[in-house]
């Protein structure tokens, strides 16, 4: 009798969806309005009724949104059209234009999240100690879903174009559903003792308890309609909405707990906001590059090229990965692409592996452009010229400020009292004199000679073309004479050995 009753009360999920009403949104609500609303209004609908949004996006980020009222397991004439009444709750501040339903042969690609497996190694008591591994296969509860609709749409746009279907259905609380929920609740209670601090287990326990107590159950369905079906695209969409990869494993029973939620724990919306739609429209990386070079990163298993444009590269790139995952290979590939394109490239490598790979891959026509400076090579010599050739330039100001910061903050940070306004004034004016020295003498090693070698200083002052610098040194000599211009007295660096 129990089996017969359970079968009688079960919802026939094998029935396909029936569209009751359809309408196009003329505008989207702003984020503040969406944050104040939820899908609890769908909980007031008759069981088996659903509201679905079809969000279509083009490669340039343009959006069109359709809302549909649907039913499952019932004839479409048995339910009253309610879509126009539901829009103020689901899309506050938006207008909808109801139109005639168009039945299209669209083949949707359903996306469900992977089950989350948690395991724990326990030691069995008894004379023969042995370790056992307990596994709990749990769905990630909706309260911890990222549900990033904008990211999912951006993924579709990057793939070419497509449509994202988000459906929220009011589920009937039948005997089969309650039985599945009760069994799942018992498993979660057991898991909470073993994993008392696991966020997903705690959130799942709260969600499951709410589903048992709340009369309103919601089931979510996610599907896409894309120009090209691929496992990578499905997983990217699943990561955006569920925070897990897409699963190829169907539910073991008719009740798929991975997509079930109590109304108050359900995601807040099935629509993008006005701000998200605007961001998608102006997001350049989604558009196909019309000019400029493209950095080829890799290609997917389906043959889709993964590239970066010049605009992307201008925003910097940070490569993260474990040992042996290909970070150095990726950097080497992109650097060599720039070298082959005739670009100027500077590679700073503290380990040496990347520098060796890049130098080995330099094409023959650019070998003459390579400057290889190895600080670990004692026999080799290389220098970095820090003194610019002109004191009246922005490069001089940058170099002077940088060196002043190095002296104050890095080399002599324990004696801040030695770097006051007097030191700053003498340092900048002596540095300005060095900028006019000959190429062989234009280096930091000549800085002590500005103070200790009067003939060298007079030579630099005569060659200096900046009146303010000449006036400074004339006033300094007049105030204290040659004896007052000693390097150790002015710069506070005994013997100036560090220069």
């Amino acid at each position: 009798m129990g089996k017969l009753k359970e079968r009688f009360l079960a919802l026939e999920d094998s029935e396909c969806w029936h569209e009751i009403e359809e309408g196009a949104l003329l505008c989207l609500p702003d984020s503040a309005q969406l944050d104040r609303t939820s899908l609890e209004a769908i909980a007031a609908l008759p069981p088996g009724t659903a509201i679905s949004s079809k969000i279509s996006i083009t490669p340039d980020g343009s959006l069109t949104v359709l809302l549909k009222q649907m039913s499952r397991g019932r004839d479409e004439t048995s339910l009253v059209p309610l879509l126009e009444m539901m829009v103020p709750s689901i899309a506050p501040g938006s207008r909808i234009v109801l139109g005639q339903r168009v039945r299209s042969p669209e083949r949707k690609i359903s996306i469900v999240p992977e089950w989350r497996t948690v395991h724990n190694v326990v030691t069995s008591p008894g004379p023969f100690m042995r370790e056992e591994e307990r596994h709990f296969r749990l769905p990630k509860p909706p309260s911890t879903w990222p549900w990033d609709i904008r990211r999912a749409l951006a993924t579709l746009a990057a793939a070419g174009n497509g449509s994202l279907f988000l459906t929220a259905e009011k589920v009937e609380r039948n005997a089969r559903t309650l039985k599945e929920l009760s069994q799942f609740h018992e498993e979660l209670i057991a898991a909470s003792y073993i994993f008392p601090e696991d966020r997903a287990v705690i959130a799942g326990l709260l969600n499951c308890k709410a589903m048992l107590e709340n009369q309103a159950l919601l089931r979510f369905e996610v599907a896409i309609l894309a120009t090209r079906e691929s496992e990578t695209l499905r997983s990217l969409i699943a990561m955006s909405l569920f925070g897990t990869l897409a699963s190829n494993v169907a539910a073991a029973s008719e009740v798929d707990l991975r997509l079930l939620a109590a109304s108050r724990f359900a995601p807040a919306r099935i629509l993008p906001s006005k701000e998200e739609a605007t961001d998608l429209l102006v997001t350049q990386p989604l558009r196909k590059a019309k000019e400029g070079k493209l950095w080829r990163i890799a290609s997917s298993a389906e043959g889709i090229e993964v590239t970066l444009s010049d605009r992307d590269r201008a925003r910097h790139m940070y490569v993260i990965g474990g040992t042996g995952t290909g970070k150095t290979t990726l950097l080497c590939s992109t650097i060599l692409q720039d070298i082959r394109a005739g670009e100027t490239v500077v590679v700073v490598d503290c380990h040496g592996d990347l520098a060796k790979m890049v130098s080995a891959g330099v094409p023959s026509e650019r070998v003459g452009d390579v400057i290889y400076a190895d600080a670990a090579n004692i026999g080799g010599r290389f220098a970095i010229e820090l003194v610019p050739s002109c004191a009246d330039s922005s490069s001089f100001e940058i170099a002077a400020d940088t060196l002043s910061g190095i002296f104050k903050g890095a080399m002599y940070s324990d004696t801040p009292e030695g770097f006051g306004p007097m030191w700053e004034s003498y340092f900048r004016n002596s540095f300005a004199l060095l900028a006019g020295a000959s190429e062989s003498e234009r280096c930091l090693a000549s800085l002590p000679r500005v103070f200790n070698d009067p003939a060298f200083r007079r030579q630099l002052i005569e060659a200096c073309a900046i009146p303010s610098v000449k006036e400074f040194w004339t006033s300094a000599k007049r105030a204290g004479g040659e004896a007052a211009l000693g390097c150790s007295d002015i710069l506070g660096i005994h013997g100036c050995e560090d220069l």
Side-chain angles (χ1 to χ4, degrees):
M1 183 64 184
K3 291 284 185 182
L4 181 61
K5 182 179 179 182
E6 181 178 313
R7 182 179 178 185
F8 177 73
L9 292 177
L11 184 66
E12 292 294 335
D13 289 334
S14 59
E15 300 261 353
C16 62
W17 287 109
H18 296 284
E19 295 183 12
I20 307 300
E21 197 172 19
E22 180 179 292
L25 284 183
L26 296 183
C27 60
L28 290 171
D30 58 43
S31 57
Q33 290 174 311
L34 280 178
D35 289 341
R36 292 195 301 267
T37 62
S38 68
L39 297 181
E40 291 185 356
I42 299 179
L45 294 175
T49 307
I51 299 295
S52 177
S53 65
K54 177 185 177 182
I55 312 166
S56 301
I57 187 167
T58 58
D60 64 354
S62 302
L63 287 181
T64 57
V65 180
L66 294 178
L67 280 178
K68 298 180 181 181
Q69 178 193 347
M70 303 185 296
S71 70
R72 186 196 292 271
R74 290 179 172 84
D75 181 47
E76 60 181 287
T77 59
S78 63
L79 289 176
V80 179
L82 299 170
L83 186 58
E84 193 170 11
M85 297 175 59
M86 296 290 294
V87 167
S89 299
I90 300 173
S94 301
R95 291 195 300 121
I96 189 170
V97 176
L98 298 179
Q100 188 173 0
R101 302 187 306 276
V102 179
R103 300 192 180 278
S104 58
E106 296 177 337
R107 191 174 72 86
K108 299 179 184 178
I109 305 169
S110 296
I111 299 176
V112 294
E114 277 190 337
W115 290 92
R116 181 177 182 274
T117 303
V118 291
H119 61 275
N120 184 42
V121 177
V122 297
T123 303
S124 301
F128 302 102
M129 303 289 287
R130 71 179 189 276
E131 290 187 345
E132 295 179 352
E133 197 173 51
R134 296 180 182 177
H135 292 268
F136 292 90
R137 201 157 172 256
L138 311 173
K140 191 172 183 180
S143 54
T144 60
W145 287 353
W147 203 250
D148 192 341
I149 298 176
R150 180 197 176 282
R151 181 180 167 191
L153 292 172
T155 302
L156 280 176
N161 56 24
S163 300
L164 177 66
F165 296 86
L166 302 175
T167 304
E169 175 195 1
K170 168 71 176 297
V171 178
E172 185 177 5
R173 291 172 59 88
N174 52 49
R176 186 184 301 278
T177 302
L178 293 177
K179 179 181 177 182
E180 293 279 352
L181 288 175
S182 298
Q183 292 176 351
F184 179 47
H185 189 246
E186 292 175 1
E187 293 178 7
L188 282 171
I189 291 175
S192 66
Y193 283 102
I194 301 175
F195 309 99
E197 298 181 357
D198 192 290
R199 181 169 173 259
V201 173
I202 296 172
L205 190 60
L206 293 174
N207 183 40
C208 189
K209 184 179 179 182
M211 286 191 288
L212 288 171
E213 296 175 351
N214 194 347
Q215 292 298 316
L217 293 180
L218 294 182
R219 173 166 49 198
F220 288 84
E221 291 189 9
V222 175
I224 58 172
L225 182 68
T227 54
R228 180 185 300 181
E229 179 180 357
S230 70
E231 190 67 29
T232 303
L233 182 61
R234 290 178 61 247
S235 289
L236 288 173
I237 298 294
M239 286 295 297
S240 303
L241 298 174
F242 303 125
T244 66
L245 297 175
S247 175
N248 294 319
V249 180
S253 62
E254 294 182 8
V255 182
D256 194 342
L257 297 173
R258 291 172 289 184
L259 300 171
L260 207 61
S263 58
R264 68 173 183 267
F265 282 99
R269 55 196 176 100
I270 55 173
L271 293 172
S273 66
K274 184 191 306 179
E275 292 82 359
E276 289 173 334
T278 304
D279 290 343
L280 288 168
L281 188 61
V282 300
T283 301
Q284 294 297 324
L286 297 181
R287 300 180 179 177
K288 213 166 190 178
K290 297 181 181 179
E291 56 183 359
K293 299 180 298 298
L294 287 177
W295 242 2
R296 183 183 178 277
I297 303 299
S299 59
S300 66
E302 291 77 21
I304 302 176
E305 291 286 332
V306 181
T307 60
L308 283 177
S309 66
D310 286 337
R311 185 184 180 92
D312 297 327
R313 296 170 56 182
R315 297 177 179 177
H316 308 295
M317 183 172 69
Y318 187 31
V319 182
I320 305 174
T323 303
T325 55
K327 300 185 298 299
T328 304
T329 303
L330 172 61
L331 291 174
C332 180
S333 172
T334 53
I335 291 169
L336 289 176
Q337 288 178 60
D338 268 349
I339 293 175
R340 296 188 189 102
E343 299 287 351
T344 300
V345 178
V346 178
V347 179
V348 180
D349 182 17
C350 57
H351 296 288
D353 297 340
L354 176 60
K356 291 178 181 178
M357 291 175 63
V358 172
S359 60
V362 174
S364 57
E365 63 272 14
R366 297 215 59 187
V367 170
D369 299 332
V370 176
I371 300 174
Y372 195 97
D374 186 1
N377 184 4
I378 301 177
R381 290 186 177 183
F382 73 95
I384 300 175
E385 185 52 72
L386 299 177
V387 184
S389 58
C390 179
D392 191 13
S393 64
S394 58
S395 60
F396 169 80
E397 296 296 333
I398 294 173
D401 290 339
T402 302
L403 287 172
S404 177
I406 291 174
F407 289 140
K408 292 179 180 179
M411 296 179 65
Y412 304 102
S413 59
D414 55 340
T415 55
E417 65 277 2
F419 298 92
M422 180 67 74
W423 180 91
E424 184 82 25
S425 181
Y426 273 95
F427 173 76
R428 295 183 71 88
N429 281 279
S430 61
F431 198 60
L433 285 182
L434 278 182
S438 62
E439 187 175 353
S440 61
E441 295 175 326
R442 193 172 60 243
C443 59
L444 282 183
S446 300
L447 188 61
R449 292 182 60 195
V450 176
F451 299 93
N452 298 330
D453 188 343
F456 180 64
R457 183 172 63 250
R458 283 194 299 271
Q459 175 188 343
L460 295 180
I461 292 174
E462 291 174 0
C464 181
I466 304 175
S468 60
V469 177
K470 281 189 171 184
E471 178 62 27
F472 172 83
W473 287 106
T474 302
S475 301
K477 182 179 179 181
R478 189 165 49 242
E482 289 290 346
L485 295 179
C487 179
S488 59
D489 297 327
I490 297 300
L491 294 183
I493 305 173
H494 297 287
C496 300
E497 296 88 352
D498 296 315
L499 292 177

